[in-house]
Amino acid sequence: MGTENPKHPTYQLRPAATPFAAPQSATPFVSSGPVVGSEASAFRPAPPSSQIPTPPFSSGPLVGLEAPAPGYRPPSLGRSNEIVRPPPPPPSSLANGPPLTGPFQRFPAPQFTTTGQVPAPHTFGQPAVLPPTRPPGGAISSPPVSLQPYPQPSPISMGSSPQNIKTGQSSMSFPPSSDQPFSPPRPNVQPSSPPMGPSYPIARGNFQPPFPGYASLQPNTVAQAPGQPDSFSSQHGGYGPPAPQIPFLAQQRGYMPVPPVPPVSAPTGLYARDQMQHYGIAPPIATSQGLAEDFNSLSLGSVPGSFNTGLDPAALPRPLEGDVEPKSFAEMYPMNCSSRYLRLTTSGIPNSQSLASRWHVPLGAVVCPLAEAPDGEEVPIVNFATTGIIRCRRCRTYVNPYVTFADHGRKWRCNICSFLNDVPGDYFAHLDASGRRVDLDQRPELTKGSVEFIAPAEYMVRPPMPPSYIFLIDASISAVKSGMLEVVAQTIKSCLDNLPGYPRTQIGFITFDSTIHFYNMKSSLMQPQMMVVSDLDDIFIPLPDDLLVNLSESRNVVDAFLDSLPSMFKGSMNVESAFGPALKAAFMVMSQLGGKLLIFQNTLPSLGAGRLRLRGDDIRVYGTDKEHALRLPEDPFYKQMAADFTKYQIAVNLYAFSDKYTDVASLGTLAKYTGGQVYYYPSFQSTIHGEKLRHELTRDLTRETAWEAVMRIRCGKGVRFTSYHGNFMLRSTDLIALPAVDCDKAYAAQLSLEETLLTTQSVYFQVALLYTSSSGERRIRVHTAEAPVVADLGEMYRLADTGAIISLFSRLAIEKTLSYKLEEARNAIQLRIVKALREYRNLYAVQHRLSGRMIYPESLKFLPLYGLALCKSTPLRGGYADVQLDERCAAGFTMMALPVKNLLKLLYPSLFRVDDHLLETEEFHNILKKRLPLTSGSLDTSGLYIYDDGFRFVIWFGMSLLPGIARNLLGEDFAADYSMVTLSEHDNDMSRKLMRILKKPAVLIAILTGFYNYTDKSNKKRNILFHDPDDSIDSRQPPVMVN
Amino acid sequence: MGDLWAWLIFFFTLIALLIILVYQLMCLADLEFDYINPYDSASKINKVVLPEFITQGVLCFLFLVTGHWVMSLLSVPYLYYNVRLYTRRQHLVDVTEIFNLLNWEKKQRLFKLGYVIFLLFMSLFWMIFNALEDDDHSL
């Protein structure tokens, strides 16, 4: 920093400037870097000066200065910087945000701690400080260096000097700044400032007196009390005493109109509201800019003249674009795996436990190892046939783009544990001058974040299994009557050609009612043979070999079976269900091979082991402390079975159809611990839900599936994954056992810091999934990502990922509902979101008078909204009466497995208006771009709307919709009861068009009726009314109100 | 003299209890360090859970019938805890959740262990006390 004390005022400026830069890049972060720029550097690529921390400081004389400097307060710096800076934020424009952050962050703590200073620092902490320091006039120049936060003593010159520097010289140091929109102020400032510089000493003298006054004023400013304008001006005055002020104000005003910077949500709201009124002059330019670049805010104050207190619903940011992944981060680390596979809740890993504890949102990751990649971005497959897979000898990390080669390419250093490994002879390649391997471009594993290795025999405990499917189908009366049996048989038959793994695929069927029916599908038979076992206490398999057969060999028999299945049980009057014994039988059939067990279950298990009671029908339990027990499996039988299934590599997918209570909580455990999925169709009727079942079953059967998989997430030293959330079973503390995985499954994990202080620059994560592909190859899919370690909370917020956070939140909340009341689970989420936003507010709010506004970082702008959506999602919503218990549990199981994007879509579905399209006035693809906010205000009685949450479509016919449209879509009987209508394609353009829109996977299961009718369908009402201000405001307000 | 024998029996019962608890803790520790898989660990532990409960119940009963009601009273909380676990069907280790509950299971058993050791010392004390008393009488 200020290496030498400037001899001349003018010089001073200069030195200061340089010092400035240095400090920024260097230490600031850790040490609380008062310097504005510092933060930017912390993260940002931008800062010119590489991170050279302390050295500069070391200079003797400076040190002395430094001490004082701290006193001078980061704030002052920040302040001065800000004000001056408005334009300049040195780093790229992006950088602006961060720099601001820097100062602010410091503010909160220091300011308050040093109460006296507080006021001053803010507006002009510097001045206040200055007086004391004065004496060391020479020192002044150095002050900028003073990164130290607290020491008041010397702060003195610092404040002022930086300003001078900037203003006067800023052009040099921060040329870019001038370009910015704010440039206007600059000119003004500069003139004023230059004089300042020279006059420094004097200025100080003058200043001091004023400061005291300021101090008092400042509090106000901080508090944002009225009168700010004055204080403000005075502050400016601080700069160059009186004269400058005026220009400043003028500038501000000039700005005012401009201010609404794009990022600010509801700009008008912001400025237009109270603040404007109160102050007449909005926050200083700097502030507005800061707002714009660093965070967004929402005004919560009441609008004058309206009764409605609270936020303006129209101003809420809404994720109408769907999930937007943080792009900038991916660009910064091009070798990271795509965010499809791995998303961190924040890409800035806190460097200390104390910092982590201030980040109230969970720290963790959401992993979707087999996410579907768009064409052209498939994961490259690498075969280390001869060398064996290259892994670190110590921590078993797979070779990845972040390993470094040393010793002329003979050694490589593991990026996770820093162990120096030998490079096997076959893998050796020379290094070029820059230390890169010459064969880099032929080695996808060294350039791509995601690769797939072909695993040699060491990675197998048995030969790779063929894909195998066993269908366990309920054949009781309700299954037949609802049409389930028929739909299932048809769908399976239609999928036979597309089952993965041809020609090795194995298939088998078992049906059950009060007895268990096995089918001999031997390829030599013409017709399947049915064998009935009625001894439920001692299950045995009548034929050991021919129940699970090779599909390609026995195709004819299987076809014949599926054709006859619906008719086979047509006359059945059996109402019992021997589900437990049937499950055991299926287990026996599959235990040799493993595979996927699809259960179609229609009646509450009533016979044999695992029979269940109608405990969900007992109304007395609801609303009591024991309610959560209903969401837990009742009989340990199911947990035990699930554990056994996982052990033998069997994944269970449960399809539940009952129109009565079926205890999905118990049955779903089977899917939960085997990496499966629960599909629930309450009151299944093939005419209404058939299409949905067909679609979902088809997807289940035909999507690419990985078998007998295990997954482990490794991470660098100092951090550790402590808990895992999702549908799977842990085989050891960090090994996730997944009998079957596919692209629709994601797993979340929470991180914790093991060491109090992380000293590394970045942390690496590596997800490795060892699995058997459907083609019978053993493979390892490896995703590697790097995340920087940051020392500053603002940076963590900036790098946060709302999608991952919400995904983790949803899993935590759903798990919480298993042992607590729903309300507590919801409160826990809200509390954490509020805390997070409050913490963020504390970083900034003080300087910007933001009372009455909620502020939030750009990265988390949808967090409150998704948090609300989560609280209103099926598993967490309302009380027991709002959602059927089974539905709640099923949704819980589903959400525990959903990848981030699907989850966000489920939480905030898309709503389109389509009648314009049907009338041919608008192009189809335009419509899909026009997502409407989910408020009742979006619905017009004369419109036709489609609501899509990824699992179903809801089509909403407005009451005054043109009758022609309804007739075309629904046929002649449209005027009858809408609830009886089924949607099918009719022979006209309009209907075909609609069907084309709906071609997307998912099916209409409900048609809502007239405009007001939707309110009494609680289900739909929730979704559509979702954003009514009344609903949303209460949970939103807290963050704002907190000061 | 009879008392001395009684104390000897208590002592060995307590040792048995101690061994059972240590065995469970070992299984949990092995699991934590990945020496055995959760299935084996859980089945090993579950196999001895009921014997542990029964031994403890018997011990408590013996204390009572032999008139050592203070000792009996001391072991009642342990018994109550076990009974409560049993009636809530939480006494067995859950394979599927074993890793999430690992810390809790360990803590619970460590407390039990401490408790048993305390009882052990008490009974040791009484045993020696009795032996000395017998000696005095014989003199």
Side-chain angles (χ1 to χ4, degrees):
Chain A
M1 332 306 260
T3 47
E4 341 127 351
N5 305 338
K7 287 121 199 188
H8 311 280
T10 50
Y11 287 136
Q12 286 190 351
L13 299 178
R14 272 214 142 196
T18 44
F20 225 63
Q24 297 177 357
S25 55
T27 44
F29 328 108
V30 184
S31 60
S32 79
V35 182
V36 183
S38 59
E39 297 159 342
S41 56
F43 219 70
R44 257 45 176 335
S49 56
S50 60
Q51 302 182 348
I52 311 156
T54 45
F57 294 117
S58 61
S59 58
L62 298 177
V63 178
L65 297 176
E66 292 181 8
Y72 112 1
R73 237 6 163 51
S76 62
L77 284 179
R79 231 312 157 109
S80 58
N81 291 340
E82 286 182 357
I83 298 176
V84 179
R85 278 238 171 151
S92 62
S93 58
L94 295 176
N96 289 343
L100 294 176
T101 26
F104 298 122
Q105 295 179 348
R106 298 158 191 171
F107 275 61
Q111 284 190 353
F112 293 121
T113 50
T114 57
T115 52
Q117 296 184 349
V118 176
H122 229 239
T123 31
F124 285 68
Q126 316 161 353
V129 182
L130 292 176
T133 7
R134 288 296 178 70
I140 301 166
S141 59
S142 56
V145 179
S146 64
L147 303 181
Q148 325 265 4
Y150 301 88
Q152 301 181 346
S154 57
I156 324 163
S157 53
M158 294 306 295
S160 57
S161 64
Q163 296 177 358
N164 297 334
I165 298 168
K166 290 181 178 179
T167 53
Q169 287 206 345
S170 59
S171 57
M172 299 185 46
S173 51
F174 311 124
S177 61
S178 57
D179 302 339
Q180 303 189 350
F182 295 86
S183 53
R186 272 198 128 216
N188 297 333
V189 179
Q190 288 193 352
S192 64
S193 61
M196 297 287 298
S199 61
Y200 244 38
I202 301 168
R204 298 172 182 172
N206 299 337
F207 285 88
Q208 292 191 354
F211 286 124
Y214 283 128
S216 60
L217 291 178
Q218 292 187 352
N220 295 337
T221 51
V222 176
Q224 296 204 349
Q228 283 200 353
D230 302 341
S231 61
F232 227 55
S233 57
S234 61
Q235 300 171 2
H236 297 296
Y239 277 177
Q245 295 182 355
I246 302 172
F248 231 61
L249 292 175
Q251 298 171 5
Q252 293 178 350
R253 289 171 191 163
Y255 279 78
M256 287 305 305
V258 187
V261 191
V264 181
S265 65
T268 51
L270 286 180
Y271 295 99
R273 303 252 166 113
D274 21 0
Q275 299 184 350
M276 291 280 299
Q277 299 172 357
H278 293 304
Y279 309 146
I281 299 175
I285 306 162
T287 318
S288 62
Q289 193 190 20
L291 278 181
E293 300 180 13
D294 235 9
F295 51 77
N296 297 326
S297 70
L298 258 187
S299 175
L300 285 188
S302 58
V303 183
S306 88
F307 291 105
N308 184 12
T309 60
L311 87 172
D312 170 13
L316 280 177
R318 294 203 166 80
L320 299 183
E321 309 286 302
D323 173 34
V324 181
E325 292 157 20
K327 280 274 186 301
S328 61
F329 183 70
E331 285 159 10
M332 223 159 22
Y333 293 92
M335 292 194 296
N336 271 6
C337 62
S338 152
S339 59
R340 278 190 297 277
Y341 306 115
L342 174 67
R343 285 173 81 162
L344 296 167
T345 55
T346 173
S347 302
I349 305 297
N351 73 337
S352 67
Q353 284 176 344
S354 60
L355 184 57
S357 65
R358 288 172 65 202
W359 163 261
H360 295 281
V361 168
L363 197 57
V366 181
V367 179
C368 183
L370 290 177
E372 280 175 309
D375 287 345
E377 292 183 39
E378 288 88 0
V379 177
I381 296 178
V382 177
N383 193 351
F384 284 125
T386 50
T387 48
I389 294 179
I390 318 277
R391 299 176 71 176
C392 173
R393 253 192 320 139
R394 185 159 73 189
C395 66
R396 312 300 293 149
T397 297
Y398 296 85
V399 69
N400 62 66
Y402 294 105
V403 304
T404 47
F405 286 85
D407 193 14
H408 308 292
R410 284 193 291 268
K411 304 256 191 193
W412 64 273
R413 186 177 293 281
C414 170
N415 54 326
I416 287 191
C417 70
S418 314
F419 184 78
L420 206 54
N421 294 275
D422 292 329
V423 174
D426 294 347
Y427 195 64
F428 175 79
H430 290 286
L431 302 186
D432 66 11
S434 58
R436 289 155 29 106
R437 281 171 63 111
V438 291
D439 64 347
L440 204 58
D441 45 349
Q442 293 141 36
R443 297 282 185 190
E445 74 275 15
L446 296 179
T447 51
K448 293 256 169 54
S450 302
V451 281
E452 219 163 74
F453 298 119
I454 308 266
E458 309 90 274
Y459 292 86
M460 307 174 193
V461 281
R462 59 174 184 175
M465 58 177 266
S468 67
Y469 292 88
I470 288 262
F471 298 87
L472 183 60
I473 306 171
D474 190 338
S476 62
I477 181 170
S478 61
V480 180
K481 273 204 173 153
S482 65
M484 180 274 274
L485 212 53
E486 192 175 352
V487 177
V488 168
Q490 285 168 358
T491 312
I492 296 174
K493 191 170 176 219
S494 70
C495 292
L496 288 181
D497 286 329
N498 299 319
L499 287 183
Y502 175 86
R504 302 160 69 237
T505 317
Q506 306 267 315
I507 198 167
F509 295 87
I510 299 173
T511 57
F512 63 96
D513 40 29
S514 59
T515 54
I516 303 168
H517 324 125
F518 297 89
Y519 299 90
N520 179 356
M521 304 266 198
K522 205 170 173 173
S523 54
S524 52
L525 296 173
M526 287 305 292
Q527 282 288 322
Q529 286 174 346
M530 179 172 169
M531 285 155 292
V532 178
V533 173
S534 54
D535 182 1
L536 302 180
D537 295 328
D538 184 20
I539 300 293
F540 65 95
I541 303 185
L543 267 180
D545 296 328
D546 295 324
L547 298 178
L548 187 59
V549 294
N550 183 302
L551 176 61
S552 49
E553 288 168 11
S554 303
R555 180 62 190 266
N556 292 335
V557 194
V558 173
D559 277 343
F561 168 73
L562 289 172
D563 285 338
S564 58
L565 180 61
S567 54
M568 242 188 287
F569 295 97
K570 207 152 215 166
S572 162
M573 294 302 285
N574 205 321
V575 294
E576 300 287 345
S577 164
F579 179 68
L583 204 58
K584 278 188 178 168
F587 174 67
M588 288 160 141
V589 174
M590 300 183 78
S591 57
Q592 290 299 313
L593 207 53
K596 209 158 169 173
L597 174 64
L598 292 97
I599 299 172
F600 299 86
Q601 193 271 348
N602 222 317
T603 317
L604 190 74
S606 58
L607 295 176
R611 71 184 150 250
L612 297 168
R613 296 179 300 122
L614 285 171
R615 57 179 179 143
D617 286 349
D618 185 357
I619 301 202
R620 287 168 302 175
V621 186
Y622 289 105
T624 69
D625 286 344
K626 288 185 179 163
E627 186 187 325
H628 66 82
L630 293 178
R631 295 188 280 270
L632 283 172
E634 180 193 18
D635 190 336
F637 171 81
Y638 290 99
K639 272 197 166 183
Q640 192 53 51
M641 283 309 287
D644 289 341
F645 279 135
T646 312
K647 193 175 180 181
Y648 289 95
Q649 308 291 0
I650 302 165
V652 177
N653 278 2
L654 177 74
Y655 292 78
F657 300 93
S658 178
D659 48 351
K660 294 193 291 271
Y661 176 75
T662 47
D663 206 346
V664 171
S666 293
L667 302 176
T669 344
L670 292 171
K672 177 176 169 60
Y673 293 109
T674 59
Q677 215 171 330
V678 174
Y679 302 85
Y680 181 53
Y681 308 83
S683 312
F684 180 84
Q685 287 300 322
S686 60
T687 45
I688 300 174
H689 310 92
E691 202 52 44
K692 183 171 155 74
L693 170 61
R694 220 165 277 144
H695 169 73
E696 290 182 340
L697 180 55
T698 307
R699 173 138 180 99
D700 187 10
L701 291 176
T702 55
R703 64 188 161 196
E704 186 50 50
T705 305
W707 308 87
E708 45 180 0
V710 288
M711 184 173 86
R712 176 171 268 142
I713 312 178
R714 291 185 172 83
C715 53
K717 260 199 195 142
V719 292
R720 195 165 62 90
F721 283 104
T722 44
S723 62
Y724 299 85
H725 311 273
N727 289 357
F728 57 77
M729 196 172 137
L730 282 173
R731 188 169 296 166
S732 76
T733 38
D734 60 346
L735 188 66
I736 295 177
L738 300 164
V741 214
D742 51 63
C743 54
D744 296 329
K745 306 276 161 51
Y747 309 92
Q750 268 185 291
L751 266 181
S752 69
L753 296 188
E754 276 190 310
E755 292 164 16
T756 42
L757 204 61
L758 288 185
T759 49
T760 47
Q761 292 288 314
S762 46
V763 171
Y764 298 91
F765 298 93
Q766 188 170 68
V767 180
L769 177 82
L770 171 64
Y771 70 94
T772 299
S773 70
S774 295
S775 56
E777 210 166 29
R778 199 77 174 139
R779 290 185 187 170
I780 307 166
R781 181 173 281 220
V782 178
H783 302 297
T784 314
E786 176 181 11
V789 172
V790 300
D792 148 55
L793 194 58
E795 204 59 31
M796 288 180 70
Y797 277 106
R798 210 175 53 74
L799 292 170
D801 178 345
T802 305
I805 292 173
I806 286 296
S807 179
L808 203 46
F809 265 148
S810 68
R811 288 163 198 242
L812 292 174
I814 291 167
E815 281 177 6
K816 192 152 193 175
T817 61
L818 300 182
S819 34
Y820 297 94
K821 289 181 177 179
L822 295 175
E823 198 179 0
E824 285 169 63
R826 287 195 298 263
N827 288 344
I829 300 178
Q830 285 177 3
L831 193 67
R832 291 186 84 166
I833 293 179
V834 168
K835 272 189 183 166
L837 293 181
R838 183 198 294 157
E839 192 75 42
Y840 187 76
R841 181 186 175 80
N842 286 343
L843 292 181
Y844 294 92
V846 189
Q847 296 104 323
H848 309 292
R849 3 225 109 115
L850 286 174
S851 73
R853 263 191 288 170
M854 177 171 102
I855 69 172
Y856 47 84
E858 170 75 21
S859 60
L860 297 182
K861 63 180 169 186
F862 300 134
L863 183 66
L865 181 125
Y866 277 127
L868 276 176
L870 186 57
C871 292
K872 296 183 176 189
S873 62
T874 319
L876 298 174
R877 175 176 0 134
Y880 62 88
D882 290 308
V883 187
Q884 290 289 316
L885 179 61
D886 275 342
E887 220 172 312
R888 207 186 277 283
C889 292
F893 287 122
T894 306
M895 283 171 64
M896 287 296 280
L898 276 187
V900 175
K901 278 197 188 305
N902 305 28
L903 177 70
L904 293 186
K905 181 150 191 207
L906 179 64
L907 291 179
Y908 199 92
S910 36
L911 179 70
F912 307 107
R913 179 170 180 162
V914 291
D915 50 328
D916 287 350
H917 166 60
L918 296 181
L919 293 172
E920 288 190 90
T921 52
E922 199 162 5
E923 278 303 311
F924 174 56
H925 51 266
N926 284 342
I927 288 189
L928 295 184
K929 281 184 203 145
K930 279 196 275 177
R931 278 181 69 171
L932 298 170
L934 296 177
T935 60
S936 52
S938 304
L939 294 174
D940 177 7
T941 47
S942 63
L944 176 68
Y945 296 87
I946 294 184
Y947 162 100
D948 169 22
D949 66 6
F951 286 85
R952 60 180 184 178
F953 287 122
V954 173
I955 301 187
W956 190 87
F957 289 82
M959 248 194 346
S960 35
L961 180 68
L962 292 178
I965 298 183
R967 184 182 302 116
N968 281 338
L969 297 181
L970 301 176
E972 287 306 324
D973 55 347
F974 76 97
D977 183 359
Y978 274 99
S979 61
M980 303 300 290
V981 161
T982 52
L983 195 70
S984 54
E985 186 160 335
H986 291 272
D987 190 21
N988 58 57
D989 275 355
M990 221 176 259
S991 178
R992 273 191 289 271
K993 257 187 194 168
L994 182 68
M995 287 322 219
R996 220 177 304 136
I997 299 178
L998 299 181
K999 74 182 180 301
K1000 285 208 340 176
V1003 176
L1004 160 131
I1005 62 157
I1007 295 178
L1008 298 183
T1009 54
F1011 188 75
Y1012 294 105
N1013 244 355
Y1014 72 80
T1015 45
D1016 41 31
K1017 298 211 169 185
S1018 59
N1019 212 5
K1020 283 75 197 184
K1021 171 180 117 187
R1022 180 265 314 198
N1023 292 319
I1024 293 176
L1025 289 189
F1026 198 64
H1027 276 295
D1028 261 8
D1030 303 336
D1031 279 3
S1032 51
I1033 196 115
D1034 44 4
S1035 42
R1036 263 160 187 277
Q1037 230 157 4
V1040 184
M1041 291 313 172
V1042 180
N1043 264 317
Chain B
M1 198 60 196
D3 229 21
L4 186 60
W5 285 112
W7 281 113
L8 267 178
I9 291 174
F10 300 153
F11 180 77
F12 284 112
T13 329
L14 280 169
I15 294 282
L17 213 51
L18 198 74
I19 290 172
I20 293 177
L21 283 172
V22 170
Y23 175 76
Q24 295 182 22
L25 279 169
M26 271 171 45
C27 290
L28 289 174
D30 280 355
L31 180 69
E32 194 173 4
F33 294 106
D34 208 8
Y35 293 133
I36 52 177
N37 66 49
Y39 303 99
D40 293 348
S41 179
S43 69
K44 279 179 175 179
I45 294 173
N46 289 342
K47 229 180 274 170
V48 296
V49 164
L50 272 189
E52 177 209 327
F53 286 14
I54 292 168
T55 315
Q56 207 275 330
V58 168
L59 181 71
C60 193
F61 179 73
L62 282 181
F63 276 139
L64 198 64
V65 292
T66 51
H68 299 93
W69 59 271
V70 175
M71 288 299 283
S72 177
L73 221 56
L74 275 178
S75 50
V76 158
Y78 190 165
L79 185 69
Y80 170 73
Y81 181 72
N82 282 350
V83 169
R84 206 179 68 134
L85 281 186
Y86 186 77
T87 50
R88 294 186 177 190
R89 313 208 129 270
Q90 291 171 346
H91 59 295
L92 294 181
V93 174
D94 179 355
V95 200
T96 51
E97 291 290 344
I98 192 166
F99 285 104
N100 297 333
L101 300 173
L102 198 58
N103 282 332
W104 162 245
E105 299 282 355
K106 269 170 69 178
K107 204 186 292 170
Q108 175 198 343
R109 284 174 173 78
L110 279 174
F111 269 106
K112 282 185 177 180
L113 192 67
Y115 203 85
V116 168
I117 289 175
F118 167 72
L119 288 179
L120 193 69
F121 277 107
M122 290 287 287
S123 65
L124 207 60
F125 168 79
W126 284 115
M127 185 164 70
I128 295 169
F129 184 82
N130 271 307
L132 292 179
E133 221 166 43
D134 283 353
D135 267 2
D136 287 347
H137 286 301
S138 60
L139 285 177

